[in-house]
Amino acid sequence: MASSLDVDRFFKGKTEVNESWEYCPSLDTRSCEKNPGHLNFVPVHDISVRHLPETCRDPEIIETIHAIAALTVKVTVTDVSEHRPTALNTVGNRDPSTGSGGVRLPGVTGSGRVCYVSRCGDFTEDTCPCRTCKSSATPSKAWGEMLVYTARHLVFDDLEASHATFRLFFDTPDSPSVTLDGLGKWQAGEVEDDMCKVKCVTCDMEVVRNLDDRLNHFRTLYARIQDKYKATRNVHRLAVIVSHPHGCSKQVSVGRWVTKRGVRQNDSRYAYTTCTCPGCSGAFVFILGNDGRLLYNHVHSGCSDDAMTGYSGVGADYSANDKIEALETSEVIEEMPERIR
């Protein structure tokens, strides 16, 4: 078992925002010092029970992963807030001193997940506030507003949210581009919690209906699978991430959580062996057996200095103060399927 000194290192490292200006839709053609060949990532359409540890090769887990993937988005932010703390100036030239004039295209990228959908315009004379409608003589009278859950080091405040876009359904390199505009209205916890919810908008009502259906499907599956594995969560310790590494099309990575740290009475953060790369910041971390009522939970925050493990931001966890012994990283990696080592 790891010592307390070893446990501390799991939660120290760097964020994983993708700052490359090169558009590279396919992970296969993307070079990477951290993970050459990207063998630990599985394209979302290829994920199957064979990629899971033998202790939990359950088709319902795969179905839940696909439901998470259906809501996963690529986040692109093209501006830097003058209020961004120096402590969060961890990504290349994201210098907070440049203020709102520091626009950088195509921007830095990360990941997130749609967590709320609402249809608007039915009982109001307002019109759609998306960027297209704002400059149109005939703005739409119907639109949808969504919340995207992601990391605060990726989208720090209202200004950065208003200069963000969220790409949906980017499952393959040739997927059509479907995006949501950031409204610039957001919710966030403490900076050190590293999580936020950004309000987005679209007047494509087919997209709104699609997302609403996907979200309802996810909620049903998620509650069922979490309840099913709640009693054994500390045995299998499964941790799955769906993300857009390097800004590329959607990938799944599978690992185990090594330890967790209680932060408040019902909040914690996790460290895990699940593979990540730049561009994974803000991705939803699926901890199998967590409480199914807690739909927000944890997002990916960064990787340890030795790049062996990743860690989440602070998320809701009713078992936050359980006494959990940390596993040695090597002990966990030995148990993983060959494909994801």
PDB file of all heavy atoms in Angstrom, residues 157-192:
ATOM      1  N   ASP A 157     -14.294  32.112 -16.184  1.00  0.00           N
ATOM      2  CA  ASP A 157     -15.346  33.019 -15.726  1.00  0.00           C
ATOM      3  C   ASP A 157     -16.309  33.349 -16.868  1.00  0.00           C
ATOM      4  O   ASP A 157     -16.264  32.741 -17.946  1.00  0.00           O
ATOM      5  CB  ASP A 157     -14.753  34.288 -15.113  1.00  0.00           C
ATOM      6  CG  ASP A 157     -13.920  35.109 -16.091  1.00  0.00           C
ATOM      7  OD1 ASP A 157     -13.911  34.788 -17.302  1.00  0.00           O
ATOM      8  OD2 ASP A 157     -13.274  36.081 -15.658  1.00  0.00           O
ATOM      9  N   ASP A 158     -17.175  34.335 -16.609  1.00  0.00           N
ATOM     10  CA  ASP A 158     -18.217  34.703 -17.555  1.00  0.00           C
ATOM     11  C   ASP A 158     -17.658  35.150 -18.897  1.00  0.00           C
ATOM     12  O   ASP A 158     -18.189  34.808 -19.960  1.00  0.00           O
ATOM     13  CB  ASP A 158     -19.052  35.831 -16.934  1.00  0.00           C
ATOM     14  CG  ASP A 158     -20.290  36.151 -17.736  1.00  0.00           C
ATOM     15  OD1 ASP A 158     -21.264  35.393 -17.643  1.00  0.00           O
ATOM     16  OD2 ASP A 158     -20.275  37.164 -18.462  1.00  0.00           O
ATOM     17  N   LEU A 159     -16.566  35.898 -18.887  1.00  0.00           N
ATOM     18  CA  LEU A 159     -15.987  36.381 -20.139  1.00  0.00           C
ATOM     19  C   LEU A 159     -15.480  35.218 -20.986  1.00  0.00           C
ATOM     20  O   LEU A 159     -15.731  35.146 -22.179  1.00  0.00           O
ATOM     21  CB  LEU A 159     -14.859  37.368 -19.862  1.00  0.00           C
ATOM     22  CG  LEU A 159     -14.250  38.005 -21.119  1.00  0.00           C
ATOM     23  CD1 LEU A 159     -13.914  39.458 -20.894  1.00  0.00           C
ATOM     24  CD2 LEU A 159     -12.986  37.242 -21.558  1.00  0.00           C
ATOM     25  N   GLU A 160     -14.742  34.318 -20.371  1.00  0.00           N
ATOM     26  CA  GLU A 160     -14.236  33.173 -21.125  1.00  0.00           C
ATOM     27  C   GLU A 160     -15.379  32.295 -21.627  1.00  0.00           C
ATOM     28  O   GLU A 160     -15.315  31.740 -22.721  1.00  0.00           O
ATOM     29  CB  GLU A 160     -13.259  32.378 -20.264  1.00  0.00           C
ATOM     30  CG  GLU A 160     -11.986  33.152 -19.964  1.00  0.00           C
ATOM     31  CD  GLU A 160     -10.906  32.323 -19.285  1.00  0.00           C
ATOM     32  OE1 GLU A 160     -11.083  31.102 -19.131  1.00  0.00           O
ATOM     33  OE2 GLU A 160      -9.880  32.895 -18.917  1.00  0.00           O
ATOM     34  N   ALA A 161     -16.444  32.178 -20.827  1.00  0.00           N
ATOM     35  CA  ALA A 161     -17.609  31.397 -21.258  1.00  0.00           C
ATOM     36  C   ALA A 161     -18.255  31.997 -22.495  1.00  0.00           C
ATOM     37  O   ALA A 161     -18.730  31.281 -23.382  1.00  0.00           O
ATOM     38  CB  ALA A 161     -18.627  31.305 -20.120  1.00  0.00           C
ATOM     39  N   SER A 162     -18.278  33.326 -22.579  1.00  0.00           N
ATOM     40  CA  SER A 162     -18.902  33.985 -23.724  1.00  0.00           C
ATOM     41  C   SER A 162     -18.064  33.866 -24.993  1.00  0.00           C
ATOM     42  O   SER A 162     -18.539  34.159 -26.082  1.00  0.00           O
ATOM     43  CB  SER A 162     -19.154  35.467 -23.413  1.00  0.00           C
ATOM     44  OG  SER A 162     -17.932  36.181 -23.285  1.00  0.00           O
ATOM     45  N   HIS A 163     -16.802  33.444 -24.863  1.00  0.00           N
ATOM     46  CA  HIS A 163     -15.930  33.225 -26.011  1.00  0.00           C
ATOM     47  C   HIS A 163     -15.625  31.741 -26.189  1.00  0.00           C
ATOM     48  O   HIS A 163     -14.579  31.375 -26.720  1.00  0.00           O
ATOM     49  CB  HIS A 163     -14.627  34.008 -25.858  1.00  0.00           C
ATOM     50  CG  HIS A 163     -14.802  35.484 -26.000  1.00  0.00           C
ATOM     51  ND1 HIS A 163     -15.198  36.286 -24.956  1.00  0.00           N
ATOM     52  CD2 HIS A 163     -14.653  36.302 -27.074  1.00  0.00           C
ATOM     53  CE1 HIS A 163     -15.278  37.537 -25.375  1.00  0.00           C
ATOM     54  NE2 HIS A 163     -14.946  37.582 -26.651  1.00  0.00           N
ATOM     55  N   ALA A 164     -16.550  30.911 -25.754  1.00  0.00           N
ATOM     56  CA  ALA A 164     -16.362  29.463 -25.855  1.00  0.00           C
ATOM     57  C   ALA A 164     -17.386  28.854 -26.813  1.00  0.00           C
ATOM     58  O   ALA A 164     -18.497  29.371 -26.963  1.00  0.00           O
ATOM     59  CB  ALA A 164     -16.500  28.815 -24.476  1.00  0.00           C
ATOM     60  N   THR A 165     -17.000  27.787 -27.473  1.00  0.00           N
ATOM     61  CA  THR A 165     -17.922  26.995 -28.289  1.00  0.00           C
ATOM     62  C   THR A 165     -17.811  25.541 -27.844  1.00  0.00           C
ATOM     63  O   THR A 165     -16.783  25.101 -27.312  1.00  0.00           O
ATOM     64  CB  THR A 165     -17.614  27.091 -29.794  1.00  0.00           C
ATOM     65  OG1 THR A 165     -16.250  26.704 -30.022  1.00  0.00           O
ATOM     66  CG2 THR A 165     -17.836  28.502 -30.299  1.00  0.00           C
ATOM     67  N   PHE A 166     -18.884  24.799 -28.092  1.00  0.00           N
ATOM     68  CA  PHE A 166     -18.992  23.438 -27.598  1.00  0.00           C
ATOM     69  C   PHE A 166     -19.440  22.537 -28.750  1.00  0.00           C
ATOM     70  O   PHE A 166     -20.575  22.643 -29.216  1.00  0.00           O
ATOM     71  CB  PHE A 166     -19.984  23.387 -26.431  1.00  0.00           C
ATOM     72  CG  PHE A 166     -19.608  24.318 -25.315  1.00  0.00           C
ATOM     73  CD1 PHE A 166     -19.944  25.678 -25.382  1.00  0.00           C
ATOM     74  CD2 PHE A 166     -18.893  23.879 -24.226  1.00  0.00           C
ATOM     75  CE1 PHE A 166     -19.581  26.556 -24.371  1.00  0.00           C
ATOM     76  CE2 PHE A 166     -18.517  24.750 -23.216  1.00  0.00           C
ATOM     77  CZ  PHE A 166     -18.856  26.085 -23.280  1.00  0.00           C
ATOM     78  N   ARG A 167     -18.539  21.689 -29.214  1.00  0.00           N
ATOM     79  CA  ARG A 167     -18.850  20.843 -30.360  1.00  0.00           C
ATOM     80  C   ARG A 167     -19.504  19.539 -29.909  1.00  0.00           C
ATOM     81  O   ARG A 167     -18.956  18.796 -29.083  1.00  0.00           O
ATOM     82  CB  ARG A 167     -17.595  20.536 -31.174  1.00  0.00           C
ATOM     83  CG  ARG A 167     -17.903  19.704 -32.416  1.00  0.00           C
ATOM     84  CD  ARG A 167     -16.712  19.560 -33.345  1.00  0.00           C
ATOM     85  NE  ARG A 167     -17.055  18.722 -34.493  1.00  0.00           N
ATOM     86  CZ  ARG A 167     -16.219  18.426 -35.475  1.00  0.00           C
ATOM     87  NH1 ARG A 167     -14.984  18.930 -35.470  1.00  0.00           N
ATOM     88  NH2 ARG A 167     -16.611  17.649 -36.474  1.00  0.00           N
ATOM     89  N   LEU A 168     -20.665  19.245 -30.470  1.00  0.00           N
ATOM     90  CA  LEU A 168     -21.435  18.058 -30.151  1.00  0.00           C
ATOM     91  C   LEU A 168     -21.169  16.939 -31.152  1.00  0.00           C
ATOM     92  O   LEU A 168     -20.791  17.203 -32.302  1.00  0.00           O
ATOM     93  CB  LEU A 168     -22.931  18.366 -30.180  1.00  0.00           C
ATOM     94  CG  LEU A 168     -23.450  19.500 -29.284  1.00  0.00           C
ATOM     95  CD1 LEU A 168     -24.856  19.883 -29.712  1.00  0.00           C
ATOM     96  CD2 LEU A 168     -23.430  19.067 -27.830  1.00  0.00           C
ATOM     97  N   PHE A 169     -21.403  15.693 -30.722  1.00  0.00           N
ATOM     98  CA  PHE A 169     -21.478  14.533 -31.623  1.00  0.00           C
ATOM     99  C   PHE A 169     -20.200  14.335 -32.450  1.00  0.00           C
ATOM    100  O   PHE A 169     -20.251  13.794 -33.550  1.00  0.00           O
ATOM    101  CB  PHE A 169     -22.680  14.646 -32.558  1.00  0.00           C
ATOM    102  CG  PHE A 169     -23.934  15.198 -31.920  1.00  0.00           C
ATOM    103  CD1 PHE A 169     -24.713  16.134 -32.579  1.00  0.00           C
ATOM    104  CD2 PHE A 169     -24.330  14.778 -30.651  1.00  0.00           C
ATOM    105  CE1 PHE A 169     -25.876  16.644 -31.998  1.00  0.00           C
ATOM    106  CE2 PHE A 169     -25.495  15.282 -30.059  1.00  0.00           C
ATOM    107  CZ  PHE A 169     -26.262  16.217 -30.736  1.00  0.00           C
ATOM    108  N   PHE A 170     -19.053  14.767 -31.942  1.00  0.00           N
ATOM    109  CA  PHE A 170     -17.778  14.626 -32.650  1.00  0.00           C
ATOM    110  C   PHE A 170     -17.220  13.230 -32.368  1.00  0.00           C
ATOM    111  O   PHE A 170     -16.238  13.058 -31.659  1.00  0.00           O
ATOM    112  CB  PHE A 170     -16.822  15.724 -32.193  1.00  0.00           C
ATOM    113  CG  PHE A 170     -15.519  15.813 -32.941  1.00  0.00           C
ATOM    114  CD1 PHE A 170     -15.352  15.225 -34.186  1.00  0.00           C
ATOM    115  CD2 PHE A 170     -14.449  16.505 -32.384  1.00  0.00           C
ATOM    116  CE1 PHE A 170     -14.146  15.295 -34.868  1.00  0.00           C
ATOM    117  CE2 PHE A 170     -13.235  16.597 -33.049  1.00  0.00           C
ATOM    118  CZ  PHE A 170     -13.085  15.982 -34.288  1.00  0.00           C
ATOM    119  N   ASP A 171     -17.883  12.207 -32.934  1.00  0.00           N
ATOM    120  CA  ASP A 171     -17.567  10.818 -32.635  1.00  0.00           C
ATOM    121  C   ASP A 171     -16.494  10.232 -33.537  1.00  0.00           C
ATOM    122  O   ASP A 171     -15.780   9.305 -33.145  1.00  0.00           O
ATOM    123  CB  ASP A 171     -18.823   9.958 -32.744  1.00  0.00           C
ATOM    124  CG  ASP A 171     -19.881  10.341 -31.719  1.00  0.00           C
ATOM    125  OD1 ASP A 171     -19.565  11.114 -30.797  1.00  0.00           O
ATOM    126  OD2 ASP A 171     -21.024   9.847 -31.838  1.00  0.00           O
ATOM    127  N   THR A 172     -16.379  10.737 -34.749  1.00  0.00           N
ATOM    128  CA  THR A 172     -15.397  10.245 -35.714  1.00  0.00           C
ATOM    129  C   THR A 172     -14.717  11.442 -36.365  1.00  0.00           C
ATOM    130  O   THR A 172     -15.248  12.567 -36.323  1.00  0.00           O
ATOM    131  CB  THR A 172     -16.061   9.387 -36.804  1.00  0.00           C
ATOM    132  OG1 THR A 172     -16.956  10.198 -37.580  1.00  0.00           O
ATOM    133  CG2 THR A 172     -16.841   8.221 -36.184  1.00  0.00           C
ATOM    134  N   PRO A 173     -13.558  11.236 -36.993  1.00  0.00           N
ATOM    135  CA  PRO A 173     -12.869  12.368 -37.628  1.00  0.00           C
ATOM    136  C   PRO A 173     -13.693  13.093 -38.674  1.00  0.00           C
ATOM    137  O   PRO A 173     -13.492  14.290 -38.900  1.00  0.00           O
ATOM    138  CB  PRO A 173     -11.639  11.703 -38.259  1.00  0.00           C
ATOM    139  CG  PRO A 173     -11.372  10.515 -37.400  1.00  0.00           C
ATOM    140  CD  PRO A 173     -12.730  10.008 -37.000  1.00  0.00           C
ATOM    141  N   ASP A 174     -14.631  12.400 -39.319  1.00  0.00           N
ATOM    142  CA  ASP A 174     -15.434  13.049 -40.361  1.00  0.00           C
ATOM    143  C   ASP A 174     -16.849  13.408 -39.904  1.00  0.00           C
ATOM    144  O   ASP A 174     -17.723  13.668 -40.726  1.00  0.00           O
ATOM    145  CB  ASP A 174     -15.502  12.161 -41.615  1.00  0.00           C
ATOM    146  CG  ASP A 174     -16.083  10.779 -41.325  1.00  0.00           C
ATOM    147  OD1 ASP A 174     -16.339  10.475 -40.143  1.00  0.00           O
ATOM    148  OD2 ASP A 174     -16.267   9.998 -42.279  1.00  0.00           O
ATOM    149  N   SER A 175     -17.084  13.447 -38.588  1.00  0.00           N
ATOM    150  CA  SER A 175     -18.395  13.861 -38.084  1.00  0.00           C
ATOM    151  C   SER A 175     -18.682  15.306 -38.480  1.00  0.00           C
ATOM    152  O   SER A 175     -17.777  16.162 -38.434  1.00  0.00           O
ATOM    153  CB  SER A 175     -18.446  13.758 -36.556  1.00  0.00           C
ATOM    154  OG  SER A 175     -18.377  12.419 -36.128  1.00  0.00           O
ATOM    155  N   PRO A 176     -19.923  15.628 -38.878  1.00  0.00           N
ATOM    156  CA  PRO A 176     -20.253  17.020 -39.199  1.00  0.00           C
ATOM    157  C   PRO A 176     -20.114  17.904 -37.964  1.00  0.00           C
ATOM    158  O   PRO A 176     -20.256  17.436 -36.833  1.00  0.00           O
ATOM    159  CB  PRO A 176     -21.715  16.940 -39.666  1.00  0.00           C
ATOM    160  CG  PRO A 176     -22.234  15.675 -39.080  1.00  0.00           C
ATOM    161  CD  PRO A 176     -21.080  14.727 -39.029  1.00  0.00           C
ATOM    162  N   SER A 177     -19.829  19.163 -38.184  1.00  0.00           N
ATOM    163  CA  SER A 177     -19.627  20.096 -37.074  1.00  0.00           C
ATOM    164  C   SER A 177     -20.965  20.636 -36.581  1.00  0.00           C
ATOM    165  O   SER A 177     -21.690  21.303 -37.322  1.00  0.00           O
ATOM    166  CB  SER A 177     -18.727  21.256 -37.520  1.00  0.00           C
ATOM    167  OG  SER A 177     -18.523  22.151 -36.451  1.00  0.00           O
ATOM    168  N   VAL A 178     -21.307  20.315 -35.350  1.00  0.00           N
ATOM    169  CA  VAL A 178     -22.518  20.813 -34.694  1.00  0.00           C
ATOM    170  C   VAL A 178     -22.079  21.466 -33.391  1.00  0.00           C
ATOM    171  O   VAL A 178     -21.477  20.809 -32.533  1.00  0.00           O
ATOM    172  CB  VAL A 178     -23.519  19.679 -34.399  1.00  0.00           C
ATOM    173  CG1 VAL A 178     -24.771  20.238 -33.744  1.00  0.00           C
ATOM    174  CG2 VAL A 178     -23.859  18.904 -35.664  1.00  0.00           C
ATOM    175  N   THR A 179     -22.341  22.769 -33.235  1.00  0.00           N
ATOM    176  CA  THR A 179     -21.802  23.483 -32.083  1.00  0.00           C
ATOM    177  C   THR A 179     -22.875  24.243 -31.312  1.00  0.00           C
ATOM    178  O   THR A 179     -23.916  24.609 -31.854  1.00  0.00           O
ATOM    179  CB  THR A 179     -20.713  24.479 -32.504  1.00  0.00           C
ATOM    180  OG1 THR A 179     -21.268  25.439 -33.401  1.00  0.00           O
ATOM    181  CG2 THR A 179     -19.543  23.761 -33.169  1.00  0.00           C
ATOM    182  N   LEU A 180     -22.581  24.468 -30.046  1.00  0.00           N
ATOM    183  CA  LEU A 180     -23.361  25.345 -29.188  1.00  0.00           C
ATOM    184  C   LEU A 180     -22.523  26.584 -28.894  1.00  0.00           C
ATOM    185  O   LEU A 180     -21.298  26.496 -28.751  1.00  0.00           O
ATOM    186  CB  LEU A 180     -23.700  24.654 -27.862  1.00  0.00           C
ATOM    187  CG  LEU A 180     -24.397  23.301 -27.915  1.00  0.00           C
ATOM    188  CD1 LEU A 180     -24.494  22.713 -26.504  1.00  0.00           C
ATOM    189  CD2 LEU A 180     -25.772  23.424 -28.539  1.00  0.00           C
ATOM    190  N   ASP A 181     -23.164  27.746 -28.789  1.00  0.00           N
ATOM    191  CA  ASP A 181     -22.476  28.973 -28.391  1.00  0.00           C
ATOM    192  C   ASP A 181     -22.525  29.120 -26.881  1.00  0.00           C
ATOM    193  O   ASP A 181     -23.560  28.882 -26.253  1.00  0.00           O
ATOM    194  CB  ASP A 181     -23.155  30.202 -29.008  1.00  0.00           C
ATOM    195  CG  ASP A 181     -22.978  30.273 -30.507  1.00  0.00           C
ATOM    196  OD1 ASP A 181     -22.079  29.608 -31.033  1.00  0.00           O
ATOM    197  OD2 ASP A 181     -23.762  31.001 -31.157  1.00  0.00           O
ATOM    198  N   GLY A 182     -21.403  29.541 -26.290  1.00  0.00           N
ATOM    199  CA  GLY A 182     -21.404  29.881 -24.878  1.00  0.00           C
ATOM    200  C   GLY A 182     -22.145  31.190 -24.666  1.00  0.00           C
ATOM    201  O   GLY A 182     -21.914  32.169 -25.378  1.00  0.00           O
ATOM    202  N   LEU A 183     -23.058  31.219 -23.685  1.00  0.00           N
ATOM    203  CA  LEU A 183     -23.827  32.434 -23.418  1.00  0.00           C
ATOM    204  C   LEU A 183     -23.093  33.411 -22.510  1.00  0.00           C
ATOM    205  O   LEU A 183     -23.487  34.563 -22.385  1.00  0.00           O
ATOM    206  CB  LEU A 183     -25.163  32.072 -22.757  1.00  0.00           C
ATOM    207  CG  LEU A 183     -26.393  31.960 -23.643  1.00  0.00           C
ATOM    208  CD1 LEU A 183     -27.633  31.759 -22.780  1.00  0.00           C
ATOM    209  CD2 LEU A 183     -26.577  33.207 -24.495  1.00  0.00           C
ATOM    210  N   GLY A 184     -22.074  32.933 -21.853  1.00  0.00           N
ATOM    211  CA  GLY A 184     -21.383  33.806 -20.916  1.00  0.00           C
ATOM    212  C   GLY A 184     -22.015  33.823 -19.557  1.00  0.00           C
ATOM    213  O   GLY A 184     -21.679  34.649 -18.724  1.00  0.00           O
ATOM    214  N   LYS A 185     -22.946  32.908 -19.308  1.00  0.00           N
ATOM    215  CA  LYS A 185     -23.540  32.781 -17.980  1.00  0.00           C
ATOM    216  C   LYS A 185     -23.137  31.417 -17.447  1.00  0.00           C
ATOM    217  O   LYS A 185     -23.352  30.403 -18.080  1.00  0.00           O
ATOM    218  CB  LYS A 185     -25.062  32.911 -18.056  1.00  0.00           C
ATOM    219  CG  LYS A 185     -25.523  34.268 -18.541  1.00  0.00           C
ATOM    220  CD  LYS A 185     -27.042  34.352 -18.589  1.00  0.00           C
ATOM    221  CE  LYS A 185     -27.488  35.730 -19.062  1.00  0.00           C
ATOM    222  NZ  LYS A 185     -28.963  35.849 -19.143  1.00  0.00           N
ATOM    223  N   TRP A 186     -22.587  31.404 -16.255  1.00  0.00           N
ATOM    224  CA  TRP A 186     -22.004  30.179 -15.748  1.00  0.00           C
ATOM    225  C   TRP A 186     -22.149  30.084 -14.239  1.00  0.00           C
ATOM    226  O   TRP A 186     -22.500  31.051 -13.568  1.00  0.00           O
ATOM    227  CB  TRP A 186     -20.533  30.123 -16.145  1.00  0.00           C
ATOM    228  CG  TRP A 186     -19.736  31.217 -15.494  1.00  0.00           C
ATOM    229  CD1 TRP A 186     -19.906  32.552 -15.642  1.00  0.00           C
ATOM    230  CD2 TRP A 186     -18.685  31.055 -14.558  1.00  0.00           C
ATOM    231  NE1 TRP A 186     -19.012  33.241 -14.874  1.00  0.00           N
ATOM    232  CE2 TRP A 186     -18.255  32.345 -14.198  1.00  0.00           C
ATOM    233  CE3 TRP A 186     -18.059  29.955 -14.014  1.00  0.00           C
ATOM    234  CZ2 TRP A 186     -17.220  32.557 -13.291  1.00  0.00           C
ATOM    235  CZ3 TRP A 186     -17.028  30.168 -13.124  1.00  0.00           C
ATOM    236  CH2 TRP A 186     -16.612  31.458 -12.774  1.00  0.00           C
ATOM    237  N   GLN A 187     -21.915  28.898 -13.716  1.00  0.00           N
ATOM    238  CA  GLN A 187     -21.913  28.653 -12.278  1.00  0.00           C
ATOM    239  C   GLN A 187     -20.612  27.951 -11.926  1.00  0.00           C
ATOM    240  O   GLN A 187     -20.137  27.117 -12.690  1.00  0.00           O
ATOM    241  CB  GLN A 187     -23.098  27.766 -11.884  1.00  0.00           C
ATOM    242  CG  GLN A 187     -24.458  28.285 -12.331  1.00  0.00           C
ATOM    243  CD  GLN A 187     -25.536  27.243 -12.149  1.00  0.00           C
ATOM    244  OE1 GLN A 187     -25.438  26.366 -11.309  1.00  0.00           O
ATOM    245  NE2 GLN A 187     -26.584  27.334 -12.949  1.00  0.00           N
ATOM    246  N   ALA A 188     -20.051  28.280 -10.793  1.00  0.00           N
ATOM    247  CA  ALA A 188     -18.786  27.644 -10.424  1.00  0.00           C
ATOM    248  C   ALA A 188     -18.639  27.603  -8.917  1.00  0.00           C
ATOM    249  O   ALA A 188     -19.197  28.431  -8.187  1.00  0.00           O
ATOM    250  CB  ALA A 188     -17.609  28.406 -11.032  1.00  0.00           C
ATOM    251  N   GLY A 189     -17.851  26.632  -8.457  1.00  0.00           N
ATOM    252  CA  GLY A 189     -17.496  26.567  -7.052  1.00  0.00           C
ATOM    253  C   GLY A 189     -16.206  27.334  -6.812  1.00  0.00           C
ATOM    254  O   GLY A 189     -15.844  28.238  -7.570  1.00  0.00           O
ATOM    255  N   GLU A 190     -15.510  26.967  -5.756  1.00  0.00           N
ATOM    256  CA  GLU A 190     -14.237  27.608  -5.457  1.00  0.00           C
ATOM    257  C   GLU A 190     -13.221  27.280  -6.555  1.00  0.00           C
ATOM    258  O   GLU A 190     -13.306  26.236  -7.209  1.00  0.00           O
ATOM    259  CB  GLU A 190     -13.715  27.128  -4.102  1.00  0.00           C
ATOM    260  CG  GLU A 190     -14.626  27.434  -2.933  1.00  0.00           C
ATOM    261  CD  GLU A 190     -14.828  28.923  -2.719  1.00  0.00           C
ATOM    262  OE1 GLU A 190     -13.862  29.686  -2.978  1.00  0.00           O
ATOM    263  OE2 GLU A 190     -15.916  29.326  -2.306  1.00  0.00           O
ATOM    264  N   VAL A 191     -12.261  28.182  -6.751  1.00  0.00           N
ATOM    265  CA  VAL A 191     -11.255  27.977  -7.795  1.00  0.00           C
ATOM    266  C   VAL A 191     -10.555  26.635  -7.613  1.00  0.00           C
ATOM    267  O   VAL A 191     -10.333  25.891  -8.577  1.00  0.00           O
ATOM    268  CB  VAL A 191     -10.225  29.126  -7.801  1.00  0.00           C
ATOM    269  CG1 VAL A 191      -9.078  28.821  -8.750  1.00  0.00           C
ATOM    270  CG2 VAL A 191     -10.891  30.437  -8.199  1.00  0.00           C
ATOM    271  N   GLU A 192     -10.221  26.301  -6.357  1.00  0.00           N
ATOM    272  CA  GLU A 192      -9.494  25.065  -6.120  1.00  0.00           C
ATOM    273  C   GLU A 192     -10.345  23.813  -6.354  1.00  0.00           C
ATOM    274  O   GLU A 192      -9.813  22.715  -6.513  1.00  0.00           O
ATOM    275  CB  GLU A 192      -8.928  25.045  -4.692  1.00  0.00           C
ATOM    276  CG  GLU A 192      -9.956  25.232  -3.602  1.00  0.00           C
ATOM    277  CD  GLU A 192     -10.139  26.700  -3.205  1.00  0.00           C
ATOM    278  OE1 GLU A 192      -9.839  27.590  -4.023  1.00  0.00           O
ATOM    279  OE2 GLU A 192     -10.575  26.948  -2.070  1.00  0.00           O
TER     280      GLU A 192
END
